Amino acid sequence: MTDRPHPHDPLRALEDAGFPLHSLSPEQREVLQALDEEELTLLLGLKERLDAAEPEVQAHSEIAGGALF
């Protein structure tokens, strides 16, 4: 799981994990800022799993022309 050096600063933790916060509206950023520890941990964990699966997904899309995804 992602180590978060910023004690409950959800936006900083998400930004450090590579979430594109700059593309979000102020209202969406407010929602993310209000995440509790459990929600933040879940979201960061999901991103790690998606990132880990990315090379496989990219390989399939290149081979099958994206038809599977």
Side-chain angles (χ1 to χ4, degrees):
M1 194 77 32
T2 300
D3 293 326
R4 287 180 281 115
H6 317 288
H8 202 69
D9 183 354
L11 292 180
R12 180 69 185 260
L14 293 170
E15 194 168 55
D16 288 351
F19 282 83
L21 300 182
H22 62 278
S23 64
L24 300 178
S25 71
E27 293 82 8
Q28 291 170 320
R29 291 174 65 90
E30 282 182 34
V31 169
L32 294 175
Q33 181 62 47
L35 293 175
D36 64 28
E37 286 287 337
E38 185 176 339
E39 293 168 325
L40 182 58
T41 299
L42 176 64
L43 191 54
L44 292 171
L46 289 170
K47 180 160 185 340
E48 283 182 7
R49 291 168 57 191
L50 290 170
D51 288 349
E54 186 174 351
E56 181 180 338
V57 171
Q58 286 177 347
H60 284 296
S61 68
E62 291 170 10
I63 293 169
L68 299 175
F69 300 97

